[in-house]
Amino acid sequence: MTLPLSGLRIVTAAEQYPGPYATMLLADLGAEVIIVERPGAGDPTRSFPAFHAALNRNKRSVTLDLKSADGRAGLRSLLTTADVFMEGFRPGTMARLGFGPDEVKAINPRVVYVAITGFGQTGPNRLRAAHDVSYQAAAGLLHSRVTGRDTSEVDELALGDLSSGMFAVIGTLTALLARQRTGQAGSVDVSMTDGLVSWLTASLVPALNQQSSPELGSAEPAYGLFECADRALLSLSVAYEDWFWAPLCDLLDMSDVRDLARPARIAARAELRQRIENALRHRTRDEWSVLLDGADIAWSPVLDLPEVAQDEHFRDRDLFRTVPLPDGTTFTCIAQPLVFDGVRPGPRRGAPELGEANGELL
């Protein structure tokens, strides 16, 4: 297929996680992505080779010392042919180096400027140092832990990094569409915490309006994780639907409560959940798989990472792709999650060696 973003050139100085994730998605869709890295060490994630390789496929790398005159001249040269410049430093950092939105517009007025920061370009917290767990904390995602005083563990999934990467993609494509319509290239302020607050829309808007938050799936007795006879875990996700609850009760020999309305189920949650737990421990997860699918009940196995890598469904959808590396070996990647006209684009090649495109691009 002809990739939808072919011909688009993105120059990025956004390091670590959000920017690389955003530009990985854009590169899969056909954009030429040139990552500007520090001479010697490169992006700090190169210290974690598998992590770096996972996020930087399909890209090209140049090394520039932006604190030197030659380095700044190199970046200015790249920007003269760019459609997008993405950066991920604290507000004001790139402007001090001569590459803030106004300076880049003077170099090339067609460049869309995308800045990813923890707290945005404005506001009293804009210069605060933080990482993902602190962005989640500030946005309100960890309020349930505060309520339960469970401070022992934090999920490893970096929701602030990933959500801001997605919002950066949305912002980039929206600004490019606006440029096509108006001829003007704008700038996009991507705040990691703003994005997380947006994800809390369904919960936070009621609080903003002095209304109680709706009790969604987690209030239901059949919503959560359960252990089977072989100690494997499965998830049930019967949220508010009577049409899932009734057949589940029939399957688990709980027909005496199959007609309970949702308020009654929530009121008796502890007792009903215990009955569900006891029933599920009588068969293995593979046995429940056949029965739950046969009854069309909302569920899924709880897979660990090796199981996901071998999952029949994901492999049938061609979600894992093997690509060549510069040294002649291969590397298996997760493919672009979007499918266009039945075809899943990219990846085409693995992550670049540090500065491998210096000779050609500089």
Side-chain angles (χ1 to χ4, degrees):
M1 67 180 297
T2 299
L3 295 173
L5 300 185
S6 293
L8 189 73
R9 173 172 275 196
I10 299 172
V11 176
T12 176
E15 300 177 330
Q16 308 267 19
Y17 206 162
Y21 183 66
T23 51
M24 178 194 76
L25 297 176
L26 293 165
D28 280 347
L29 296 174
E32 179 192 15
V33 175
I34 302 167
I35 51 179
V36 176
E37 303 189 71
R38 311 173 199 202
D43 187 313
T45 61
R46 284 189 181 272
S47 299
F48 309 95
F51 182 93
H52 180 270
L55 293 172
N56 287 286
R57 61 180 185 240
N58 291 339
K59 302 177 187 178
R60 310 176 79 186
S61 168
V62 299
T63 54
L64 293 171
D65 179 4
L66 298 183
K67 295 181 180 180
S68 72
D70 287 345
R72 292 191 293 272
L75 181 53
R76 282 194 294 271
S77 176
L78 289 176
L79 290 174
T80 60
T81 60
D83 294 285
V84 178
F85 178 57
M86 187 177 293
E87 56 103 343
F89 298 99
R90 289 195 227 185
T93 300
M94 293 307 292
R96 288 193 294 273
L97 293 170
F99 298 100
D102 293 339
E103 292 83 3
V104 169
K105 186 175 183 179
I107 296 168
N108 181 353
R110 287 184 52 78
V111 173
V112 167
Y113 194 106
V114 181
I116 306 173
T117 58
F119 296 94
Q121 297 296 311
T122 60
N125 295 338
R126 67 188 182 280
L127 299 179
R128 177 182 290 169
H131 275 303
D132 198 87
V133 66
S134 297
Y135 302 136
Q136 292 189 44
L141 265 71
L142 304 184
H143 66 92
S144 60
R145 292 187 182 275
V146 175
T147 302
R149 291 299 168 191
D150 177 8
T151 59
S152 58
E153 294 184 12
V154 176
D155 293 335
E156 289 191 11
L157 187 62
L159 296 181
D161 290 318
L162 293 169
S163 64
S164 62
M166 299 292 287
F167 279 115
V169 171
I170 295 170
T172 298
L173 298 179
T174 302
L176 287 169
L177 180 60
R179 186 188 73 175
Q180 178 180 324
R181 290 178 171 176
T182 68
Q184 301 296 315
S187 62
V188 185
D189 174 1
V190 181
S191 161
M192 299 169 79
T193 45
D194 285 4
L196 290 174
V197 170
S198 175
W199 275 17
L200 286 173
T201 292
S203 300
L204 189 55
V205 167
L208 289 171
N209 293 279
Q210 293 77 51
Q211 298 170 335
S212 59
S213 296
E215 291 188 287
L216 301 176
S218 59
E220 285 273 356
Y223 196 98
L225 306 184
F226 300 86
E227 188 175 80
C228 303
D230 55 353
R231 304 201 68 181
L233 295 176
L234 62 79
S235 68
L236 293 177
S237 49
V238 178
Y240 55 84
E241 307 98 336
D242 293 340
W243 58 88
F244 286 145
W245 174 256
L248 177 67
C249 289
D250 293 339
L251 188 63
L252 301 185
D253 195 22
M254 294 171 53
S255 56
D256 58 307
V257 292
R258 75 183 308 276
D259 296 324
L260 279 183
R262 185 166 189 260
R265 296 200 299 269
I266 293 175
R269 181 182 185 279
E271 174 191 347
L272 294 173
R273 181 176 174 88
Q274 186 63 58
R275 291 183 63 179
I276 294 168
E277 289 176 348
N278 292 340
L280 289 172
R281 288 195 180 104
H282 284 87
R283 298 180 190 271
T284 67
R285 186 171 71 187
D286 286 346
E287 291 172 323
W288 284 121
S289 172
V290 176
L291 295 171
L292 290 166
D293 279 340
D296 192 29
I297 294 166
W299 86 285
S300 181
V302 179
L303 303 181
D304 60 23
L305 296 182
E307 288 174 320
V308 172
Q310 298 301 320
D311 186 78
E312 178 184 7
H313 175 81
F314 296 135
R315 290 195 168 271
D316 182 75
R317 287 184 57 78
D318 194 25
L319 191 58
F320 308 125
R321 297 272 183 88
T322 299
V323 296
L325 294 178
D327 64 3
T329 61
T330 60
F331 190 77
T332 300
C333 299
I334 299 171
Q336 163 65 231
L338 300 175
V339 178
F340 295 86
D341 299 320
V343 179
R344 193 186 294 279
R348 301 174 300 284
R349 53 190 169 85
E353 297 292 334
L354 179 63
E356 69 170 20
N358 281 9
E360 179 182 353
L361 295 177
L362 301 179

